[in-house]
Amino acid sequence: MLARIDLRGSALPGTRELTGLLPRAATDIDSVLATVRPLCEDVRIRGAQAVREITARLDGVDNEDFAVPQEALDRALAECDPTLRAALEEAIARVQKVHADQRRTDVTTEVVPGGTVTERWVPVRRVGLYVPGGLAPLLSSVVMNVVPAQIAGVESIAVASPPQRDHGGLPDPGVLAACALLGISEVYAVGGAQAVAVFGYGAGSCEPVDMVTGPGNVYVTAAKRLLRGLIGIDSEAGPTEVAILADDTADPAHVAADLISQAEHDPLAGAVLVTDSEALADAVLDLVPGQVTATKHSDRITTALDGSQSGVVLVDDVDAGLRVVDAYAAEHLEIQTRDARAVAARVRNAGAIFVGAWSPVSLGDYIAGSNHVLPTGGCARFSSGLSVQSFLRGIHVIEYDEQALADVAGHIYALAGAEDLPGHAAAVRIRQRT
C-alpha cells in the first residue's frame, strides 16, 4: 500500500522526466470511444426511444419518460433530512458568496478619438450540467455546477443524473433536493455517455444545449470528447487525485486521513504524499491500514492506494517538494508544512490549494465556498476549475467613426498587401472614395 519513490540524494530530473516518475492514474479515453460512439449516434438518430433502451440495458431502469416530474423534486425537498438541508443551504450560500466576486463587467477602451473596442461578457444561453451517481451520488456537484452558471446569467439550465433502481428510477433524492433548493426544475434521470448525448443532440423534452459541464466516468468523458465542437465542455476530467506536500510538522493522522478521503472516491483515485520527512512517511504508512479498515469503502480505498496512481515521494527538502508537486499539477494540493501560506504562494500548478492543517480537501469538496470541479491528470498546468467565467464568452464590439478609419487606412493597406489579401484593402479604400 502506497509504494515509495525515493528522489533524495541527487539532483531532480527535468519536469518531463519527473512527471514520468510520479504516480498517476492511466485514463485511456480512446479505449472506450468504440463503445461510446455508436451509443451517442443512436441517441442522435432515435432520440428518446434510444435513451430508454440504453438506460434499461445499462442501469436496469425502464423509464418511459426520463424527465423528472416537478412533484418528485418538491417531494425530495420536503422529505430532505433537516440536517442535510441545512448543510446544502450553507454550502449554496458560501459558493454563491465566492462566485459572486467572479462576475465580469463590460469594459470599453477608447483606442483613439472616435475609435473604441468594448469587451462584452455574454453568458452561454443554455447549459447541461452532469451530476454523477455511480459509486456515490455527488449532490454537492449540483451546487458546484449550478451556482456559477446562475451567477453568470445562464438563462436555461438542465441537470442530468443517473436513475437509481432503489429510488423508483429517479436520481438520488439528495440530488433532487439540491436541484429544488436552487430552483432547477429541468432534471433528467439519465446517466453516462447517453446523458451527454441527450444534452448535445436533444431527446425527448430536452432541447440541445450549448455547453456541458460536470465530472463523470471515462464514458462521460469520452462522450464529451466526441461531441466537443457541437457543444462546449468544461474539461475532459480523469480520476480524482490529491497530492500532499508535508514536512515533519504535519500530523501523520491528518495526512493519512486525507489520502484515504480522496481514495474513497474511486478505485482509480490518486493519493500522493510528497515529503522531506522519512519519519512522517513511516508514521503515515503505519496509520493508513488501521484507518482504512475502519472506513466503510475499505475495498475501494485499498485498490486506489495499492494502485500505481498512489504513493509516497521522498525528497531532500520543501524546495524539492515544490518542484515535484508543480510537475504533478494535482487537482487538489494540500500544503502541511512550516509557513504553509508562504509555501502555497510559491505553487504554480494546482487545481485548488488547501493551506495548513485545518484546510482538508473535504472542506473544499463541500462548503469552503470554492468550486470542486477541477482539472485532473496534470491539466492544472494549463487550465482552471469551474467558475463563473466558464459560462461567459467575451465578445469584442468594434466601433470606429469615419475619421478614425481614415487615420489608419494606410496601415491596413500595408498589412493587407503583405498578406496578399487585396480585398481587405479594397473594403477600406471604397469607403475613402465615398
Side-chain angles (χ1 to χ4, degrees), residues 244-255:
I244 302 174
L245 176 59
D247 62 15
D248 60 1
T249 65
D251 185 325
H254 293 180
V255 174

Side-chain angles (χ1 to χ4, degrees), residues 23-247:
R24 178 78 78 188
T27 305
D28 187 2
I29 296 172
D30 290 337
S31 68
V32 301
L33 284 176
T35 300
V36 169
R37 192 185 305 275
L39 185 151
C40 290
E41 188 67 3
D42 195 20
V43 173
R44 184 185 71 83
I45 295 169
R46 296 196 300 128
Q49 185 58 34
V51 175
R52 180 177 182 178
E53 293 172 10
I54 293 166
T55 300
R57 184 172 73 249
L58 298 181
D59 297 310
V61 171
D62 186 6
N63 285 334
E64 183 176 356
D65 184 359
F66 54 87
V68 175
Q70 184 61 50
E71 55 265 29
L73 291 161
D74 295 339
R75 183 172 63 252
L77 183 56
E79 296 176 355
C80 185
D81 178 82
T83 303
L84 176 58
R85 177 167 179 161
L88 279 169
E89 289 173 339
E90 183 65 20
I92 289 168
R94 294 187 180 204
V95 174
Q96 286 173 334
K97 184 174 184 178
V98 170
H99 288 69
D101 284 342
Q102 297 174 357
R103 282 182 291 206
R104 307 291 290 264
T105 56
D106 296 355
V107 176
T108 298
T109 302
E110 185 180 59
V111 183
V112 292
T116 63
V117 175
T118 299
E119 186 165 41
R120 289 176 52 211
W121 290 99
V122 181
V124 174
R125 183 191 64 84
R126 176 167 164 78
V127 300
L129 310 178
Y130 185 73
V131 178
L135 293 176
L138 297 186
L139 53 138
S140 56
S141 280
V142 178
V143 179
M144 301 298 175
N145 281 271
V146 169
V147 168
Q150 289 179 330
I151 291 174
V154 175
E155 66 182 51
S156 179
I157 298 174
V159 170
S161 192
Q164 307 292 321
R165 281 179 288 183
D166 295 342
H167 298 294
L170 295 171
D172 179 82
V175 169
L176 298 184
C179 288
L181 274 174
L182 287 160
I184 301 300
S185 58
E186 187 182 353
V187 182
Y188 298 101
V190 58
Q194 59 271 28
V196 179
V198 167
F199 281 148
Y201 298 122
S205 59
C206 182
E207 295 296 323
V209 304
D210 301 308
M211 182 178 185
V212 172
T213 73
N217 62 20
V218 67
Y219 297 96
V220 171
T221 303
K224 283 183 174 181
R225 176 179 290 184
L226 278 175
L227 272 66
R228 188 173 194 167
L230 175 67
I231 54 171
I233 65 170
D234 50 349
S235 65
E236 292 187 5
T240 191
E241 62 202 18
V242 63
I244 302 174
L245 176 59
D247 62 15

